[in-house]
Every structure is written in C-alpha cells, then in structure tokens.
Amino acid sequence: MLRGKLNALRGLIRDKEASALILTNPRNMGYLLGYEDGILAYLDDSTVKVVVPLLDYVRAMELIGGDAEVLAYSGYKLPVEGNFIFGSDELTRLVSSWVRQGSGVVIDDPNNQLVGKVLNAANAKPINASGDIQGIRSVKLPEELELIKGAIDITLKVLDELYGMRLVGIRERDVAAYIYQGLIRHGGDELAFNPIVGSGPNGAKPHHTHSDRIIGEGETVVIDIGARYRLYCADVTRTLTTGGIEGKLKDAYEAVVEASRSAIRAIKPGVKASDVDAEARRVINEYGFSWGFIHSLGHGVGVEVHEKPLLGPGSSDVLRAGNVVTIEPGIYIKGVGGIRVENMVLVTEGGAEVLTRDKYAYV
C-alpha cells in the first residue's frame, strides 16, 4: 500500500517542481504511514523520514516498521541512550539539512511554525498543496478499501445487534453507551465520531448526539454511527421505528428511501457530485419535502470521516473511480422526528457499489 501512496505523493512533488514534501497534518501522515501521531514526515525522491515524540518511539516503530526512517524527538534533554533529537533548535537544523537549499517544498499546513523555521533555514519556498493531497487521498487503493470494509463490518455488527433490541423505555444515552462498547468490542480501534441517537423530536436535529430522553412508542430513532479501524472510518445511518409511523413521517421515510436509491443510480465516474445531490433533491421535492432536506447529500470517507469529494449543491468536485462516498438524504420535521438513511458507496468504473448493505439499507 505504501508504494502506491509514495508514487502519488512523489508525482505531486514533480508536478509542483519541488524537491521534497513535508507533512504535518496528522491525517495526512496517517494516510501515508499508518501512523498519525508524528511531528512531521519528510519525503523526497529517495527517502521517507518521520519525526515522532520520544515517548511514542516504540509504538511508532511497530506501526511504521521499515517503511520509513523513524527519528525520536524530545523538547528537552533526557538521560536516555540512543540517537535522539533534543530541543527545537536541533530539530530545525536537522530537518533543514534534508532540504535542498533554495528549492521549493510541498507542504500541507502553511501555518505550521516548525515548517516555517525549517524552510527559512534552508532558504526554501513553501508550496501549499493541502487541496492536492486531499484529492490524492480521495481515490482509494485496494488495500485502503479493505480497511474501510473492516470498519464497515464492525459498524454493521453493532447495528445488527441494535435491530434486535427493544428500544422503547431506554434512554438515548444508554443506547449510545452500548454503541461505544460494541464498536470497540467488535474490533474498532476508536469511534470515527460521536454517535447520534436521535429519538422522536430529537431526530429532527441532524447533529443531535444523545440525551436523557427516553425512547417512546410509535416514533423514529435516527442512529448514526461509525467505527475507526486502523485509521480508516465508517459512517452509517439507519432510521429505526418503534412501532408504526403514519402521516408525514411515513411519507418522509418513503421519500428518503427513493431519493437514496435514485442518487446511487446516478453515480459513475465523471459525474458532477452536485448532480448526484440534485437527483436526490429532485425526488424529495416531488414528495413535497424540499423544506426538510437541509444538508448536503454526502461526502467522501477515508482516514477522516469527512473528506473529498463533497456531494452538495455548491460542490465543484467530480466523481472518480475509487472514491468512497456517503449517500445520506434526510428529512427533518421539527417537533416530530427525522428520517435519514446513510450508505457508503464505492464509485466503480461501471457505476456504484453499495458497501453497507443490510436490511435497513434500502438499496
């Protein structure tokens, strides 16, 4: 997996007519190395080096292995044996010695003070390419897809357990606690985000988390959860019902399901992300709920739970084979409840592959 990522990033260095690349964004370092807690990662046409905190040196070595030269840093001198870097001045001198004097260097954070000092010391020109790196990350390698599928598998296992539970009489907070425990128990390293358990009127708040509200009969429960597995994220929403729903809520559920299916059918390489959003919006408008769909249709998922491409009305992104995106139309009725169904979809050469199939995916 590292080879493909190195090729892409070294291609970026060449495209920018630079001599090297310095990463300080944790997610970008995680993307490249499978380790995101470093101080910086340095890449040129022949070497990969990463500076990590001394206290995390052993773990970093285990995670990175032989894929890069790992150097340990402490902000102050310690009585330890080994070839370690002590103090910011020594770190600046060392990293600047790697940089070709007077050259351009690709960076991912123009506000990073350490990188600024390094480039000044080397009389080098910063070339901010954070957007380009996000674009590279948006197209997943096969090995990345396997890790995403691992995160999805963990997430769907927890959802399947929830499908078999009687939720009436339980606090949203207690369901959220079960989700936390379940995502870790089934193999997640952490949660991709704070889980949402929105019952009844709380479901009409798209970014509600959870509360002491007790789930009642005959209402919807919006559950939005995702595991993070070996740095890669899942993001899945299901809307459960506690008994029959009628009226606007029932119509809204039908609209969301149809909008999701129609949007997924519209996905293929070369399609504007905004056009996929527009297709979902068209269906919801036909049901008379244009006022209730108050967010974008979806987003990319990878080492971050929200990344490129953005599927929304104002997006300039174009779908590419290898993108993994969410399709999550929703309708929110204030004081009553919400409906959202979110699936993760792989953009393939021939169209779309739904990665999050289960009985409540409705695809």
Side-chain angles (χ1 to χ4, degrees), residues 208-255:
H208 173 75
T209 53
H210 43 264
S211 73
D212 290 324
R213 185 181 188 276
I214 296 173
I215 299 170
E217 290 274 8
E219 58 188 26
T220 58
V221 185
V222 178
I223 297 176
D224 187 349
I225 68 173
R228 198 164 187 234
Y229 171 68
R230 293 176 59 186
L231 301 186
Y232 284 82
C233 300
D235 187 2
V236 185
T237 304
R238 299 293 184 250
T239 299
L240 307 184
T241 60
T242 57
I245 55 172
E246 299 296 335
K248 278 188 175 181
L249 270 181
K250 183 179 179 181
D251 293 342
Y253 212 137
E254 292 175 359

Side-chain angles (χ1 to χ4, degrees), residues 250-260 280 283-284 287-289 329 331:
K250 183 179 179 181
D251 293 342
Y253 212 137
E254 292 175 359
V256 163
V257 169
E258 186 176 335
S260 175
V283 173
I284 288 174
Y287 273 83
F289 287 108
I331 296 172

Side-chain angles (χ1 to χ4, degrees), residues 100-363:
R100 194 172 73 217
Q101 286 285 320
S103 66
V105 176
V106 176
I107 62 173
D108 65 351
D109 181 1
N111 299 313
N112 186 280
Q113 293 183 358
L114 171 61
V115 173
K117 291 178 181 178
V118 166
L119 298 186
N120 284 338
N123 192 30
K125 173 188 173 184
I127 303 171
N128 181 18
S130 56
D132 300 270
I133 295 169
Q134 289 177 29
I136 290 170
R137 280 174 34 191
S138 75
V139 177
K140 272 51 181 185
L141 298 171
E143 297 90 343
E144 291 181 279
L145 288 175
E146 291 306 308
L147 296 179
I148 290 171
K149 288 177 181 178
I152 289 171
D153 181 64
I154 293 164
T155 303
L156 293 183
K157 285 178 178 175
V158 175
L159 284 169
D160 189 61
E161 291 177 359
L162 293 177
Y163 300 158
M165 292 173 59
R166 177 172 168 78
L167 298 179
V168 173
I170 302 175
R171 294 185 306 170
E172 293 175 350
R173 184 179 308 280
D174 295 323
V175 178
Y178 185 89
I179 290 166
Y180 271 98
Q181 193 266 351
L183 291 174
I184 301 301
R185 174 167 45 85
H186 283 295
D189 299 311
E190 58 182 322
L191 278 66
F193 54 91
N194 198 14
I196 293 172
V197 181
S199 65
N202 285 341
K205 309 166 191 173
H207 278 175
H208 173 75
T209 53
H210 43 264
S211 73
D212 290 324
R213 185 181 188 276
I214 296 173
I215 299 170
E217 290 274 8
E219 58 188 26
T220 58
V221 185
V222 178
I223 297 176
D224 187 349
I225 68 173
R228 198 164 187 234
Y229 171 68
R230 293 176 59 186
L231 301 186
Y232 284 82
C233 300
D235 187 2
V236 185
T237 304
R238 299 293 184 250
T239 299
L240 307 184
T241 60
T242 57
I245 55 172
E246 299 296 335
K248 278 188 175 181
L249 270 181
K250 183 179 179 181
D251 293 342
Y253 212 137
E254 292 175 359
V256 163
V257 169
E258 186 176 335
S260 175
R261 290 171 175 166
S262 190
I264 291 169
R265 287 194 296 268
I267 290 174
K268 62 181 178 180
V271 170
K272 293 179 181 179
S274 59
D275 288 347
V276 181
D277 175 274
E279 177 58 21
R281 225 165 278 279
R282 178 191 66 77
V283 173
I284 288 174
N285 290 353
E286 287 181 354
Y287 273 83
F289 287 108
S290 59
W291 50 267
F293 187 12
I294 56 176
H295 54 70
S296 297
L297 177 65
H299 53 84
V301 183
V303 291
E304 291 184 276
V305 74
H306 292 97
E307 50 182 55
K308 280 182 171 284
L310 170 67
L311 288 80
S315 176
S316 60
D317 294 334
V318 175
L319 298 183
R320 301 166 63 187
N323 291 154
V324 174
V325 301
T326 65
I327 298 296
E328 48 180 307
I331 296 172
Y332 308 93
I333 305 171
K334 185 178 179 181
V336 178
I339 307 288
R340 185 167 68 251
V341 175
E342 177 183 22
N343 286 295
M344 292 176 64
V345 178
L346 169 66
V347 182
T348 67
E349 293 292 350
E353 176 189 346
V354 178
L355 302 177
T356 50
R357 290 182 178 272
D358 68 5
K359 63 183 180 181
Y360 288 104
Y362 297 118
V363 293

